[in-house]
Amino acid sequence: MATNIGMMDSAYFVGRSEILAWINSTLQLNLSKVEEACSGAVHCQLMDAVHPGIVPMHKVNFDAKNEYEMIQNYKVLQDVLNKLKITKHIEVSKLVKGRPLDNLELMQWMKRYCDAINGGALHSYNALERRETCKGGKEASKRPASSQSSVRSSTALLKPQPAQNGRRKDALVGSANPTPKATKPAYTVPAYDEQVTELKLLVDSLEKERDFYFAKLRDIEVMCQRVEVENLPIARAIQKILYAADDNPSVIAEAQAMISLHSKENNFLSPIEEAPEERHSYEGQKRKVIVNYDVDAASVSMSSPRRRLSDVSDVHCSGSPLMTY
């Protein structure tokens, strides 16, 4: 179903020309740019074409020029989606500003959804008759393509040039071919419009990428401000990098120094362990003492009675406190 399509779906790779041709043929309009449908009225009528009678067309305003008027159209669209139990988040604040990329993405989703319902076939749908019940619907049906009006205005601005060229011709009598090409700029206007549209799309994509990475940095900042980790050196080092005012490489060095200083302090406060060599020498000495005690006990037990008696006499003569007699 179109409600669950992802950003990498083929629906989001449909070009602007194909989207415009589909809108104009379905609703009998003369749109020349996708962002001309930013008022939301076109979206409401597309849903009315797929689900006849579900959209209250008398609430739709095709003549909406202010943002608050456009928002009312999007409220109608959101109510229709809720009735159909379709979960689709609509970025109204971006759409009403006429941003090309956001309007194109929503129209791509609308086309995918309409194609999924009955194969995109619209049986006996009279777009002009349904639009007459809307505010400004009749004017929208009679409105010519804006591209034609722009070309006409550009040619109108270029009309005074032949008179100037005539004056130059009078001033340059005798020169060969003095008339310049006055009609050439009229044919370059559509090319400039296409370049401007591409640049707007590029700016919108860059703004989305900027917002994405800013949200990631904000998540890191909130994590570092938690009570459990806010006093840790790694958290303070990350905050130092986040709050740096300029791109100074010394900030990275200072953050690394904070982490290394903490690790050195931990090593200094840790208990001192005995060296392996000292432990082995101490155990060897204990073994030697135990062995000497065993040898002495064995020699005493194996000595002769005469030898034992002489040892006792030696103790007696030495005045040992053990001998009381």
Side-chain angles (χ1 to χ4, degrees):
M1 197 62 185
T3 56
N4 297 324
I5 62 176
M7 289 301 297
M8 297 306 295
D9 192 89
S10 59
Y12 290 106
F13 292 94
V14 180
R16 285 174 290 140
S17 58
E18 185 177 351
I19 293 291
L20 286 172
W22 171 69
I23 296 172
N24 293 331
S25 62
T26 304
L27 304 182
Q28 300 179 22
L29 291 171
N30 293 317
L31 300 182
S32 61
K33 296 179 181 179
V34 178
E35 53 267 27
E36 291 178 6
C38 64
S39 65
V42 175
H43 305 83
C44 292
Q45 191 171 10
L46 286 172
M47 295 300 295
D48 183 70
V50 179
H51 303 282
I54 197 172
V55 181
M57 295 297 291
H58 63 280
K59 295 183 179 180
V60 180
N61 185 4
F62 270 87
D63 197 27
K65 294 181 175 60
N66 299 317
E67 290 189 4
Y68 67 90
E69 295 174 331
M70 299 178 184
I71 291 173
Q72 295 300 322
N73 289 335
Y74 284 107
K75 286 183 178 179
V76 175
L77 177 62
Q78 191 65 58
D79 291 339
V80 173
L81 296 178
N82 293 336
K83 289 180 183 178
L84 297 172
K85 296 182 180 180
I86 298 173
T87 56
K88 173 64 179 173
H89 179 66
I90 300 176
E91 296 285 350
V92 179
S93 60
K94 297 179 181 179
L95 294 170
V96 297
K97 294 179 181 178
R99 299 176 64 169
L101 185 60
D102 296 291
N103 282 274
L104 177 62
E105 288 180 358
L106 183 58
M107 275 301 177
Q108 288 169 338
W109 181 88
M110 292 290 297
K111 185 178 187 306
R112 176 62 181 272
Y113 177 78
C114 294
D115 291 343
I117 304 299
N118 298 327
L122 304 177
H123 301 290
S124 65
Y125 179 75
N126 193 339
L128 297 176
E129 182 180 353
R130 290 289 293 168
R131 197 157 50 241
E132 287 181 356
T133 61
C134 305
K135 182 180 179 180
K138 295 181 180 180
E139 291 78 5
S141 302
K142 299 176 182 178
R143 193 177 301 158
S146 61
S147 60
Q148 296 177 359
S149 61
S150 62
V151 172
R152 289 174 185 172
S153 61
S154 61
T155 53
L157 292 173
L158 293 170
K159 281 183 180 179
Q161 293 184 0
Q164 297 177 0
N165 293 332
R167 295 171 188 170
R168 293 177 185 174
K169 187 184 295 184
D170 295 337
L172 299 173
V173 177
S175 61
N177 300 326
T179 53
K181 295 181 180 180
T183 58
K184 186 176 180 180
Y187 297 101
T188 59
V189 172
Y192 285 130
D193 289 341
E194 187 174 353
Q195 290 180 3
V196 169
T197 304
E198 291 178 355
L199 290 175
K200 286 182 179 179
L201 293 173
L202 179 61
V203 170
D204 288 342
S205 62
L206 291 176
E207 287 181 354
K208 280 193 172 183
E209 185 176 0
R210 177 202 63 189
D211 296 341
F212 173 79
Y213 286 111
F214 178 79
K216 294 295 182 184
L217 292 174
R218 177 58 182 160
D219 293 340
I220 295 173
E221 181 186 20
V222 172
M223 184 65 68
C224 292
Q225 290 175 351
R226 295 182 60 181
V227 180
E228 299 85 354
V229 298
E230 64 177 352
N231 294 323
L232 294 179
I234 184 67
R236 290 199 297 253
I238 292 174
Q239 288 178 344
K240 188 174 186 62
I241 297 173
L242 287 176
Y243 299 148
D246 52 355
D247 191 9
N248 192 354
S250 63
V251 176
I252 305 295
E254 293 176 2
Q256 292 176 350
M258 293 170 62
I259 299 173
S260 60
L261 180 62
H262 178 71
S263 61
K264 288 180 180 179
E265 290 178 355
N266 289 339
N267 293 334
F268 179 76
L269 297 175
S270 61
I272 301 175
E273 296 183 356
E274 293 181 355
E277 294 81 4
E278 296 178 357
R279 188 181 304 142
H280 290 311
S281 61
Y282 178 69
E283 292 178 355
Q285 292 176 0
K286 288 170 65 177
R287 290 196 189 102
K288 289 180 181 179
V289 172
I290 294 171
V291 170
N292 291 334
Y293 288 155
D294 295 340
V295 171
D296 293 341
S299 60
V300 171
S301 61
M302 295 178 63
S303 60
S304 61
R306 184 179 297 176
R307 177 65 178 171
R308 294 177 191 169
L309 186 59
S310 63
D311 293 338
V312 171
S313 60
D314 293 338
V315 172
H316 179 73
C317 293
S318 63
S320 174
L322 297 175
M323 300 303 295
T324 57
Y325 56 90

